[in-house]
Amino acid sequence: IKMFFIWFCLASSVEGMSHKIERSFKLIFWGAELGVLKVKAEISDDKYSISTIGSGKSIINFFSRFRISSGAVGEVTANGNLIPTQSITRWNAKGKSNETRLSYINGKLIDFDSSSELKKPYHIKNPIGIENTVDTVSFVLWLLLERSEAQLCTDKLIILDGFRMSELVFANKRTENGSIVCIGNFNRIAGFKKLEKTGKPLKFKIIYSQEQKNRFEISIVEIETIFGKILVR
C-alpha cells in the first residue's frame, strides 16, 4: 500500500500525456507458463510513468507463488533516452514482503533503500553516485517503446537495480518472416558472484513485429540462462 501511494503521488504529477502503453506478457520456462507480467505506461514529450504487476510460480519451487509490483517515473530526452527520477519494487512471496527504492537527480542515483534480507555480500557496497543508468522498471518501458527499423538493435544500456549493474549490448540484427530480430548479451559489470561475473554473459534475442509503416514493437524476448531458455511472449 505504501509503495503504491508513493508511486501514485509521483505519477499524478506527470502532465500532458500523449501516448499510453498497456501490454501483457507470459513468462514461459521449459514449455511451462510460470507467470504473467502486466504493464501500463504513459509517455509525453519529456516525461514518463510506468507500473508493472508480475505474478506466477517460482522457478526454483514450482508451487511457491510470487507477486511483484513496481512503478517508476522519469524524463524522456530529445533522442528518446529514459532518465529515471524514482523507481520502487515490492516482492511478495511465501507470506513475506521485500522492497527496493531508487531515487535520482539528473540521472545520478542519490538514494537507495532496500529490505535488509535482500542484500548479499557480493552486491555493490554503495551504488550512490552512479550515473547514466536505468532501473529495471524503466528498462521494461525501454523495451516496449516503438521504434523505426533504423533504431532497432543499436542502443547500449546500463541497468542498475541497486544491487547489481549490467550492460545490454546488441551484437547482430536480422530479418525473419517480416520481423526484426535483435541478438545480444547482458554483460555483468558489478554486484554478482565471482562465478557469474567471470562466466559467459547472458545471451538474449528480441523479436520486433511491424505494427505500422516503419514502426516496430516488441513481441517476444528470449533469454538463455544456465538452467535453460526463458521466453517472454
Side-chain angles (χ1 to χ4, degrees):
I1 295 174
K2 180 181 178 183
M3 186 199 75
F4 280 110
F5 175 75
I6 294 172
W7 182 86
F8 177 79
C9 292
L10 289 167
S12 65
S13 66
V14 181
E15 300 176 353
M17 296 299 181
S18 58
H19 179 58
K20 293 184 178 182
I21 297 173
E22 188 167 349
R23 300 286 301 273
S24 180
F25 296 89
K26 294 180 180 180
L27 176 65
I28 300 170
F29 183 71
W30 283 91
E33 183 181 328
L34 298 186
V36 175
L37 176 66
K38 296 182 179 180
V39 183
K40 290 185 178 181
E42 292 183 290
I43 308 169
S44 69
D45 290 337
D46 59 356
K47 296 182 185 298
Y48 71 86
S49 63
I50 175 173
S51 64
T52 71
I53 296 178
S55 60
K57 297 177 181 179
S58 168
I59 295 177
I60 298 174
N61 183 348
F62 192 80
F63 298 100
S64 174
R65 294 189 175 274
F66 64 88
R67 181 181 176 89
I68 304 173
S69 306
S70 62
V73 293
E75 299 180 354
V76 183
T77 66
N79 57 3
N81 293 330
L82 303 182
I83 310 296
T85 301
Q86 187 162 36
S87 173
I88 304 172
T89 300
R90 173 174 287 177
W91 296 263
N92 290 282
K94 298 181 179 180
K96 296 181 179 180
S97 294
N98 290 293
E99 181 178 302
T100 62
R101 185 184 307 171
L102 300 91
S103 300
Y104 307 78
I105 291 182
N106 297 325
K108 178 187 290 187
L109 186 66
I110 61 166
D111 189 47
F112 173 60
D113 291 318
S114 69
S115 301
S116 59
E117 62 183 77
L118 294 175
K119 298 179 181 178
K120 305 297 181 184
Y122 49 84
H123 285 160
I124 297 173
K125 300 300 181 185
N126 182 14
I128 304 304
I130 295 178
E131 300 181 83
N132 302 320
T133 67
V134 297
D135 59 278
T136 53
V137 190
S138 298
F139 173 59
V140 173
L141 176 58
W142 180 87
L143 287 171
L144 297 182
L145 294 176
E146 287 188 356
R147 293 175 170 85
S148 67
E149 183 172 352
Q151 293 172 318
L152 296 177
C153 318
T154 59
D155 291 337
K156 181 182 291 186
L157 206 65
I158 304 294
I159 306 158
L160 173 69
D161 66 2
F163 304 112
R164 297 163 293 264
M165 187 160 58
S166 303
E167 179 185 42
L168 177 146
V169 180
F170 290 107
N172 193 13
K173 176 182 179 180
R174 64 173 184 254
T175 301
E176 290 183 1
N177 301 320
S179 297
I180 303 297
V181 180
C182 301
I183 298 172
N185 297 320
F186 284 108
N187 299 321
R188 304 175 181 92
I189 298 176
F192 294 90
K193 295 179 181 179
K194 186 176 180 179
L195 283 176
E196 292 177 322
K197 192 173 180 181
T198 58
K200 294 181 179 179
L202 291 177
K203 296 182 179 181
F204 69 83
K205 179 192 295 185
I206 303 176
I207 301 176
Y208 289 92
S209 299
Q210 187 170 4
E211 294 302 312
Q212 51 185 313
K213 185 177 181 180
N214 199 33
R215 301 303 295 176
F216 292 80
E217 69 175 28
I218 197 168
S219 58
I220 300 173
V221 177
E222 296 180 7
I223 302 175
E224 296 283 353
T225 73
I226 60 174
F227 302 106
K229 182 184 297 184
I230 296 176
L231 184 66
V232 183
R233 186 192 298 273

